[in-house]
Amino acid sequence: QVQLVESGGGLVQPGGSLRLSCVASGSIFSFNAMGWFRQAPGKERELVAMISSTSGTNYADSVKGRFTISRDNARYTVYLQMNSLKPEDTAVYYCHHKQRRPDSTVWKDYWGQGTQVTVSS
Protein backbone atom coordinates (compact mmCIF):
# COMPACT_ATOMS: atom_id res chain seq x y z
CA GLN A 1 0.00 0.00 0.00
CA VAL A 2 3.06 2.22 0.05
CA GLN A 3 4.79 2.92 -3.22
CA LEU A 4 8.35 4.19 -3.45
CA VAL A 5 9.68 5.53 -6.72
CA GLU A 6 13.35 6.38 -7.13
CA SER A 7 14.86 8.58 -9.78
CA GLY A 8 18.08 10.41 -10.56
CA GLY A 9 20.40 7.52 -11.31
CA GLY A 10 22.67 7.43 -14.30
CA LEU A 11 26.24 7.42 -15.55
CA VAL A 12 28.71 9.83 -14.00
CA GLN A 13 32.48 10.24 -14.07
CA PRO A 14 34.60 9.67 -10.96
CA GLY A 15 34.56 12.76 -8.80
CA GLY A 16 31.20 13.80 -10.13
CA SER A 17 27.91 14.27 -8.34
CA LEU A 18 24.45 12.80 -8.54
CA ARG A 19 21.23 13.43 -6.65
CA LEU A 20 18.75 10.63 -6.09
CA SER A 21 15.12 11.20 -5.21
CA CYS A 22 12.51 8.90 -3.74
CA VAL A 23 8.84 9.81 -3.66
CA ALA A 24 6.48 7.89 -1.39
CA SER A 25 2.77 7.55 -1.95
CA GLY A 26 -0.15 5.44 -0.78
CA SER A 27 -1.10 4.53 2.77
CA ILE A 28 1.60 6.42 4.59
CA PHE A 29 1.02 6.42 8.32
CA SER A 30 4.47 7.61 9.26
CA PHE A 31 7.25 9.32 7.35
CA ASN A 32 9.68 9.62 10.23
CA ALA A 33 12.24 7.09 9.01
CA MET A 34 13.59 6.54 5.51
CA GLY A 35 16.72 4.97 4.15
CA TRP A 36 18.85 4.35 1.10
CA PHE A 37 20.43 0.97 0.37
CA ARG A 38 22.57 -0.19 -2.50
CA GLN A 39 23.52 -3.47 -4.05
CA ALA A 40 26.39 -4.16 -6.40
CA PRO A 41 26.52 -7.30 -8.57
CA GLY A 42 27.49 -10.32 -6.49
CA LYS A 43 27.28 -8.42 -3.22
CA GLU A 44 24.80 -8.14 -0.38
CA ARG A 45 22.48 -5.20 -0.17
CA GLU A 46 23.97 -2.67 2.23
CA LEU A 47 22.76 0.37 4.08
CA VAL A 48 24.03 3.64 2.67
CA ALA A 49 22.19 6.24 4.71
CA MET A 50 19.19 6.67 6.98
CA ILE A 51 17.25 9.64 8.23
CA SER A 52 14.88 9.67 11.18
CA SER A 53 12.90 12.39 12.89
CA THR A 54 14.05 11.05 16.25
CA SER A 55 17.51 9.64 15.54
CA GLY A 56 18.82 12.05 12.95
CA THR A 57 21.03 10.71 10.20
CA ASN A 58 23.29 7.71 9.88
CA TYR A 59 25.78 6.88 7.14
CA ALA A 60 27.91 3.98 6.09
CA ASP A 61 31.58 4.66 6.78
CA SER A 62 32.37 4.37 3.10
CA VAL A 63 30.19 7.35 2.19
CA LYS A 64 30.64 9.66 5.18
CA GLY A 65 31.63 13.13 4.13
CA ARG A 66 30.56 12.50 0.55
CA PHE A 67 26.86 11.63 0.72
CA THR A 68 24.06 13.59 2.34
CA ILE A 69 20.56 12.32 3.02
CA SER A 70 17.69 14.76 3.40
CA ARG A 71 13.94 14.85 3.09
CA ASP A 72 10.94 17.00 2.36
CA ASN A 73 8.14 15.79 4.59
CA ALA A 74 5.53 17.92 2.88
CA ARG A 75 6.24 16.18 -0.41
CA TYR A 76 6.96 12.72 1.06
CA THR A 77 10.32 12.78 -0.64
CA VAL A 78 13.75 11.68 0.49
CA TYR A 79 16.96 12.63 -1.28
CA LEU A 80 20.49 11.33 -1.46
CA GLN A 81 23.07 13.86 -2.60
CA MET A 82 26.17 12.00 -3.73
CA ASN A 83 29.40 13.93 -4.22
CA SER A 84 32.95 12.88 -5.04
CA LEU A 85 31.65 9.67 -6.52
CA LYS A 86 33.97 6.70 -6.85
CA PRO A 87 33.77 3.64 -9.10
CA GLU A 88 33.06 1.53 -6.02
CA ASP A 89 29.84 3.49 -5.54
CA THR A 90 28.48 1.77 -8.64
CA ALA A 91 25.35 -0.15 -7.66
CA VAL A 92 21.59 -0.22 -7.81
CA TYR A 93 20.29 2.15 -5.17
CA TYR A 94 17.05 1.37 -3.38
CA CYS A 95 14.77 3.54 -1.30
CA HIS A 96 13.41 1.94 1.88
CA HIS A 97 10.55 2.70 4.23
CA LYS A 98 9.32 0.82 7.28
CA GLN A 99 6.09 1.47 9.10
CA ARG A 100 3.42 -0.02 11.31
CA ARG A 101 -0.27 0.64 11.09
CA PRO A 102 -1.60 2.45 14.17
CA ASP A 103 -3.98 -0.46 14.82
CA SER A 104 -1.46 -3.22 14.14
CA THR A 105 1.63 -4.73 15.75
CA VAL A 106 3.01 -5.88 12.40
CA TRP A 107 5.80 -3.86 10.82
CA LYS A 108 6.15 -3.83 7.07
CA ASP A 109 9.07 -3.01 4.84
CA TYR A 110 8.65 -1.21 1.56
CA TRP A 111 11.19 -0.92 -1.24
CA GLY A 112 11.47 1.08 -4.39
CA GLN A 113 12.27 -0.48 -7.73
CA GLY A 114 15.84 0.73 -7.62
CA THR A 115 17.83 3.15 -9.73
CA GLN A 116 21.16 2.35 -11.35
CA VAL A 117 24.18 4.46 -10.49
CA THR A 118 27.29 3.87 -12.57
CA VAL A 119 30.53 5.69 -11.84
CA SER A 120 33.00 5.26 -14.67
CA SER A 121 35.35 7.25 -16.84
Side-chain angles (χ1 to χ4, degrees):
Q1 291 184 297
V2 176
Q3 295 80 45
L4 304 175
V5 180
E6 304 102 329
S7 63
L11 176 64
V12 65
Q13 294 183 338
S17 298
L18 215 56
R19 190 192 191 200
L20 305 183
S21 299
C22 172
V23 180
S25 62
S27 301
I28 304 172
F29 299 101
S30 176
F31 198 66
N32 63 305
M34 297 290 292
W36 285 98
F37 289 73
R38 68 184 181 186
Q39 186 169 21
K43 293 188 176 181
E44 296 288 328
R45 186 172 298 186
E46 64 175 352
L47 173 68
V48 177
M50 290 182 62
I51 185 167
S52 171
S53 60
T54 58
S55 302
T57 58
N58 184 41
Y59 298 92
D61 289 338
S62 60
V63 306
K64 284 184 177 179
R66 299 188 298 120
F67 290 11
T68 302
I69 187 171
S70 62
R71 65 182 179 182
D72 185 337
N73 291 336
R75 295 178 173 84
Y76 291 112
T77 303
V78 62
Y79 306 94
L80 184 66
Q81 179 66 48
M82 305 184 294
N83 299 325
S84 301
L85 284 163
K86 305 175 181 179
E88 49 263 45
D89 293 319
T90 296
V92 177
Y93 285 70
Y94 298 91
C95 181
H96 172 259
H97 172 65
K98 189 172 185 177
Q99 70 170 18
R100 177 180 62 85
R101 285 174 170 263
D103 59 349
S104 177
T105 59
V106 180
W107 289 82
K108 289 187 176 182
D109 292 281
Y110 299 91
W111 297 91
Q113 80 287 351
T115 184
Q116 177 70 49
V117 172
T118 302
V119 184
S120 177
S121 59

